[in-house]
Amino acid sequence: MLENEMLNMGMAAKRASYRLAGISTDVKNKALQAMAKALEEREEMILAANQVDMDEGRAKGLNNALLDRLLLTPERIKEMADGLRELVGLPDPVGEVTGMWTRPNGLRIGRMRVPLGVVGMIYEARPNVTVDAAGLCLKSGNAVILRGGSEALNSNIALANVISTAAVGAGIPEGAIQLVQRTDREAVNIMMRMNDYIDVLIPRGGAGLIRAVIDNATVPVLQTGVGNCHVYVEEDADLEMAVRIVVNAKTQRPGVCNAMETLLVHEEIAPQFLPVVSSALREKGVELRGCERTREILPDCLPATEEDWKNEYLALILAVKVVKDIEDAIEHINTYGTGHSEAIVTGSYEKACRFVQGVDAAAVLVNASTRFTDGYQFGFGAEIGISTQKLHARGPMGLQELTTTKFIIFGNGQVRS
Amino acid sequence: MLENEMLNMGMAAKRASYRLAGISTDVKNKALQAMAKALEEREEMILAANQVDMDEGRAKGLNNALLDRLLLTPERIKEMADGLRELVGLPDPVGEVTGMWTRPNGLRIGRMRVPLGVVGMIYEARPNVTVDAAGLCLKSGNAVILRGGSEALNSNIALANVISTAAVGAGIPEGAIQLVQRTDREAVNIMMRMNDYIDVLIPRGGAGLIRAVIDNATVPVLQTGVGNCHVYVEEDADLEMAVRIVVNAKTQRPGVCNAMETLLVHEEIAPQFLPVVSSALREKGVELRGCERTREILPDCLPATEEDWKNEYLALILAVKVVKDIEDAIEHINTYGTGHSEAIVTGSYEKACRFVQGVDAAAVLVNASTRFTDGYQFGFGAEIGISTQKLHARGPMGLQELTTTKFIIFGNGQVRS
């Protein structure tokens, strides 16, 4: 029975999570080292499993972008191993007491950081998520149930096998790293409702996957990733800086969530700025889609529709809108944005303050590219995703975001009157 | 159309929330004072509306406990007003920057506390929640959509009217405090899926209400309240202290979520401890339901079934179990507990450490009554509920838990290479 199978995985993960919560940083670090080493030693077997997925993918007619995501190479296996080794150097968040105070009755009350328990990862094609997520969960003391995409099943089975065997060999409890080997939809539906055994779900993938998890899960969800990001150029911006930031935000890596999708320009500066920036963007192969006022200035620009304001292109396409003022820009962003990363280019102290205060997003940037919103760039090290929701974590989520707190209260016989 | 009506409320709340996020502490405090004053001035009207609810409640045959929860009196109105005034004195969490650092490329990155946006409260009979929740949301810069129980509809309409009018008069945007006046189930179903307009749902009430919200909501939920709490008495406990804590945790206010529901006793101490504690408990009118080993020591104790380990009695009933050792106690708690408040009574440093580490709950107490888990006792001031989930907030939730953070990033033209 599928239901029993899933519940058994959940129970095993829960059991493992209680033991894992008390395991020392040393043991966890040794396990990460062992996992990294095992990946490199079992390279041949992993590549063979990946070859099966690649062959099936080609036979199914997957496009080249998907096939590239699916592909493992010796270099990519080494990158995964290095990712695990990097976690060794990051501080262990578990057990940190973030504050302690004494009440008038003598009770000492503190807040201690503890693992979440069991994390459920639901993700798509990239097999490296299997290793990255397992490593982050292990270091933060969480058990993990991994459920990858069906296209990567053979690769994921091989990877999960190698790392979980290595982890158990290094003293990590069985059940701490498990992979759902069923790719039917029903398995994931059960998983999304296993509130007794899974503490949080993290979906990673396209907007469709994330929406499906939000709509169907009763387990709390950490929403990640969709980014309809804007850069707003104020009338008093340094135009050379504005061009540099806009070109970087759009073209440095267009397929990721912190790339810019819409450019907003103050009407006073638009006649001067738009011709310059459009030629710089077109040099990089960017297609522009503008509002009416944009098209008055750039007559050869395609027209933008309502859909363009909503779209996360993830491609070399940019929507452009001329706005009346900063309030108009903030309203556009709060209406169409996905709460990921929003930037202003301005020379004005007052405008910078207003933008930072008024824009509702995980990251608000002044005079910097939206591309900086990520765990490494922020100095956190590895991340499990970028949260675009407001509960628990907002923005890049690293080890600390994979923990919760508990109150610890020390008394000497106090009762309440 | 009900759907349009609800969406309009949502849009109005969202709009208000953007303005509210930028309103100064002074204006918010003046609004709280005005709301308190208005409640006292409109006492007569509020009591008249409450009388309608009470009459209907009696006609419907509501039991005395429910009628008592529903009842408003001049004293209770004064308590609500005083609750609002108390919020004036609490620090405003909005705008606090909890850390800022500089990256090697010169970017300055900080984390700023900001309101969640729009809070949806779904609650049952007590009309005071209308005022308490509105005050907490206002002080933390959030708009709120209130949806109370149908029994309290007239009282809630009167209260919401008085406080929202007073708030708007003091400079708070319209739409910041709204009450759903529809009591049909469909209204709440729509509300639970308004992800574009509501940032978080907080259900307050019985286990059934909370479960229904978790099962049906796509908006993120902060789960509150259900408490199946334990006290574990170790073999080396000070027995006099253990009796005091057990009696307090069970009887000081049995109808609330932080009251004890099951007593666990180490087998070595059970023959000595159980007779003493049972006579102290019985003096307070507590009915005991014991495991087999308990009943060997207390032959007149009723037998406990599996159900008793799961039950949140909220009454003068106590389940009692003799356990082999601390590991047995921790396993029982992690299996049957609801992650609220769990206490150990022990003289051993090692046992105290093990219990604090091993028990998975919002609050773990050593040598103190479970009854201490609440916002006032912890020194936070007013609370909007006690979270028993792990995401975002765990334990008593005050003003700070009604906020999220955003990253603020200050550059001077940085782009990513």
Side-chain angles (χ1 to χ4, degrees):
Chain A
M1 279 290 301
L2 180 56
E3 176 116 29
N4 280 342
E5 206 179 303
M6 294 300 297
L7 288 181
N8 283 338
M9 285 187 81
M11 278 187 266
K14 200 52 157 175
R15 244 189 336 264
S17 78
Y18 291 132
R19 287 192 47 210
L20 201 49
I23 277 179
S24 72
T25 310
D26 272 354
V27 171
K28 292 190 284 190
N29 283 344
K30 275 180 195 140
L32 289 167
Q33 299 278 19
M35 289 154 70
K37 189 154 165 263
L39 282 177
E40 292 174 343
E41 286 174 356
R42 307 293 304 278
E43 179 190 296
E44 210 172 319
M45 184 275 276
I46 294 166
L47 291 177
N50 182 247
Q51 190 58 50
V52 178
D53 287 332
M54 291 298 291
D55 291 344
E56 285 180 7
R58 274 193 209 96
K60 269 191 256 171
L62 295 188
N63 66 37
N64 283 338
L66 267 177
L67 286 172
D68 180 60
R69 279 189 216 163
L70 197 52
L71 180 69
L72 291 180
T73 62
E75 293 69 41
R76 287 185 177 182
I77 290 175
K78 172 134 201 335
E79 276 169 28
M80 289 191 256
D82 287 344
L84 293 174
R85 289 189 184 108
E86 218 171 285
L87 289 172
V88 172
L90 293 178
D92 185 343
V94 175
E96 184 195 357
V97 174
T98 58
M100 185 164 257
W101 57 98
T102 305
R103 297 290 302 153
N105 62 2
L107 279 183
R108 283 184 306 129
I109 303 180
R111 235 190 196 118
M112 187 166 76
R113 215 174 265 300
V114 296
L116 286 166
V118 179
V119 174
M121 282 295 299
I122 300 176
Y123 53 104
E124 290 177 336
R126 276 178 215 280
N128 66 301
V129 177
T130 305
V131 175
D132 295 352
L136 281 157
C137 288
L138 176 64
K139 178 82 187 220
S140 53
N142 293 289
V144 66
I145 297 179
L146 300 154
R147 205 283 192 180
S150 55
E151 316 78 29
L153 183 64
N154 294 289
S155 313
N156 287 336
I157 290 175
L159 292 168
N161 230 319
V162 168
I163 57 176
S164 72
T165 306
V168 170
I172 298 300
E174 301 248 10
I177 301 172
Q178 296 180 80
L179 178 80
V180 179
Q181 304 201 1
R182 301 269 211 160
T183 55
D184 38 348
R185 179 100 200 123
E186 196 44 30
V188 79
N189 282 339
I190 295 170
M191 185 173 164
M192 290 194 284
R193 298 183 155 261
M194 279 167 47
N195 295 54
D196 287 341
Y197 305 112
I198 300 182
D199 294 288
V200 57
L201 289 174
I202 305 180
R204 265 187 70 174
L209 170 78
I210 291 166
R211 190 71 236 170
V213 174
I214 290 169
D215 281 348
N216 296 301
T218 53
V219 175
V221 177
L222 282 177
Q223 190 175 341
T224 64
V226 180
N228 180 12
C229 305
H230 303 72
V231 174
Y232 167 54
V233 178
E234 246 296 328
E235 57 174 328
D236 48 24
D238 173 335
L239 293 193
E240 192 270 318
M241 183 197 288
V243 170
R244 199 164 70 232
I245 288 174
V246 166
V247 170
N248 185 261
K250 181 69 248 179
T251 69
Q252 197 254 344
R253 199 169 164 202
V256 293
C257 58
N258 58 16
M260 169 179 59
E261 306 292 2
T262 297
L263 170 66
L264 302 171
V265 182
H266 191 287
E267 60 181 10
E268 288 297 324
I269 203 73
Q272 238 182 295
F273 179 64
L274 282 178
V276 187
V277 79
S278 78
S279 79
L281 287 165
R282 282 169 177 169
E283 231 166 73
K284 297 273 188 177
V286 178
E287 171 192 319
L288 302 185
R289 301 187 186 172
C291 69
E292 266 185 45
R293 301 190 60 190
T294 301
R295 298 182 66 225
E296 283 163 19
I297 300 164
L298 304 173
D300 53 345
C301 175
L302 293 169
T305 65
E306 175 77 10
E307 269 316 295
D308 287 295
W309 310 135
K310 294 179 186 165
N311 224 327
E312 188 190 17
Y313 300 115
L314 299 174
L316 288 175
I317 306 172
L318 180 68
V320 185
K321 190 181 182 191
V322 174
V323 296
K324 218 167 74 257
D325 57 16
I326 190 169
E327 295 308 323
D328 201 8
I330 291 172
E331 198 180 325
H332 182 96
I333 291 170
N334 286 343
T335 305
Y336 295 104
T338 53
H340 195 296
S341 298
E342 307 293 351
I344 185 173
V345 186
T346 185
S348 153
Y349 169 78
E350 200 191 325
K351 302 283 167 52
C353 292
R354 172 64 191 132
F355 193 83
V356 164
Q357 193 277 315
V359 166
D360 187 23
V364 186
L365 305 102
V366 179
N367 295 344
S369 170
T370 54
R371 287 279 296 116
F372 283 109
T373 304
D374 99 22
Y376 289 97
Q377 295 295 325
F378 279 12
F380 300 158
E383 68 183 29
I384 199 148
I386 295 178
S387 164
T388 52
Q389 65 171 33
K390 294 184 181 177
L391 284 193
H392 187 71
R394 207 175 183 201
M397 298 187 288
L399 292 172
Q400 189 170 303
E401 285 68 31
L402 289 171
T403 64
T404 181
T405 56
K406 69 179 162 196
F407 286 103
I408 53 178
I409 298 117
F410 300 102
N412 47 13
Q414 282 87 344
V415 297
R416 193 159 161 190
S417 52
Chain B
M1 279 289 302
L2 178 57
E3 176 115 28
N4 280 341
E5 207 178 305
M6 294 300 297
L7 289 181
N8 283 337
M9 286 186 80
M11 278 187 265
K14 202 49 160 175
R15 248 191 330 267
S17 78
Y18 290 133
R19 288 191 48 210
L20 200 51
I23 277 178
S24 72
T25 309
D26 272 355
V27 171
K28 293 190 284 190
N29 283 344
K30 275 178 194 142
L32 289 167
Q33 299 278 19
M35 289 154 70
K37 190 154 164 263
L39 283 177
E40 291 174 344
E41 285 175 357
R42 306 294 304 279
E43 177 190 299
E44 211 171 315
M45 184 276 275
I46 295 167
L47 291 177
N50 182 247
Q51 191 57 53
V52 178
D53 287 334
M54 292 297 291
D55 291 345
E56 286 180 6
R58 274 192 209 95
K60 269 191 257 171
L62 295 187
N63 66 36
N64 283 339
L66 266 178
L67 286 172
D68 180 60
R69 278 188 217 165
L70 197 51
L71 179 69
L72 292 180
T73 62
E75 294 71 41
R76 287 185 177 183
I77 290 175
K78 173 133 200 336
E79 276 169 29
M80 289 190 255
D82 287 345
L84 293 174
R85 290 190 184 107
E86 219 171 283
L87 289 172
V88 173
L90 293 179
D92 184 342
V94 176
E96 185 195 357
V97 174
T98 58
M100 185 164 259
W101 57 99
T102 305
R103 298 290 301 152
N105 61 1
L107 280 182
R108 284 184 304 129
I109 302 180
R111 234 191 197 117
M112 188 167 76
R113 217 175 262 301
V114 295
L116 286 166
V118 180
V119 174
M121 284 292 300
I122 300 175
Y123 53 103
E124 288 176 337
R126 275 179 218 279
N128 65 303
V129 177
T130 304
V131 175
D132 295 351
L136 280 157
C137 288
L138 177 64
K139 178 80 187 219
S140 54
N142 293 289
V144 66
I145 298 178
L146 300 154
R147 206 282 192 178
S150 55
E151 316 80 30
L153 183 64
N154 294 289
S155 313
N156 286 336
I157 289 175
L159 291 168
N161 231 320
V162 168
I163 57 175
S164 70
T165 305
V168 170
I172 298 300
E174 302 247 11
I177 302 171
Q178 297 180 79
L179 178 80
V180 178
Q181 305 201 1
R182 303 269 211 158
T183 56
D184 35 350
R185 178 101 199 121
E186 196 43 29
V188 80
N189 282 340
I190 295 170
M191 186 173 164
M192 289 195 285
R193 298 183 155 258
M194 278 167 46
N195 296 52
D196 286 341
Y197 305 112
I198 300 182
D199 294 288
V200 56
L201 290 174
I202 306 179
R204 265 185 70 174
L209 170 78
I210 291 166
R211 191 69 235 171
V213 173
I214 290 169
D215 281 348
N216 296 301
T218 53
V219 175
V221 177
L222 282 177
Q223 189 174 340
T224 65
V226 179
N228 181 12
C229 305
H230 302 72
V231 174
Y232 168 54
V233 178
E234 246 297 328
E235 57 175 327
D236 48 24
D238 172 336
L239 293 193
E240 191 269 320
M241 183 197 287
V243 171
R244 199 163 73 234
I245 288 174
V246 166
V247 170
N248 185 262
K250 181 69 248 177
T251 70
Q252 196 255 344
R253 198 169 164 204
V256 292
C257 59
N258 58 17
M260 168 179 60
E261 306 293 2
T262 297
L263 170 66
L264 302 172
V265 183
H266 191 288
E267 62 181 8
E268 287 298 322
I269 203 74
Q272 235 182 301
F273 179 64
L274 282 177
V276 186
V277 79
S278 79
S279 81
L281 286 165
R282 281 168 177 168
E283 231 167 72
K284 298 273 189 175
V286 178
E287 172 191 319
L288 302 186
R289 302 187 186 170
C291 69
E292 265 184 46
R293 301 189 59 190
T294 301
R295 297 180 67 223
E296 282 164 19
I297 300 164
L298 305 173
D300 53 347
C301 176
L302 293 169
T305 65
E306 176 76 9
E307 269 315 296
D308 287 294
W309 309 136
K310 294 179 185 166
N311 224 328
E312 188 189 17
Y313 300 115
L314 299 173
L316 289 174
I317 306 172
L318 180 69
V320 185
K321 190 180 182 191
V322 174
V323 296
K324 217 167 73 261
D325 57 16
I326 189 169
E327 296 308 323
D328 200 9
I330 291 172
E331 197 180 324
H332 181 96
I333 290 170
N334 286 343
T335 305
Y336 295 103
T338 54
H340 195 296
S341 299
E342 307 294 351
I344 186 174
V345 187
T346 184
S348 153
Y349 168 78
E350 199 191 326
K351 301 282 167 53
C353 291
R354 172 65 192 132
F355 193 82
V356 163
Q357 195 276 316
V359 166
D360 186 25
V364 186
L365 305 102
V366 179
N367 295 345
S369 169
T370 55
R371 287 279 296 115
F372 283 109
T373 303
D374 97 23
Y376 289 98
Q377 295 295 326
F378 279 12
F380 300 158
E383 69 182 29
I384 200 148
I386 295 178
S387 164
T388 53
Q389 66 171 35
K390 294 183 180 176
L391 285 195
H392 186 72
R394 208 173 181 201
M397 297 187 288
L399 291 172
Q400 189 170 303
E401 285 68 31
L402 289 171
T403 64
T404 180
T405 56
K406 70 178 162 199
F407 286 104
I408 52 179
I409 298 116
F410 300 102
N412 47 12
Q414 282 86 345
V415 296
R416 193 160 162 191
S417 50

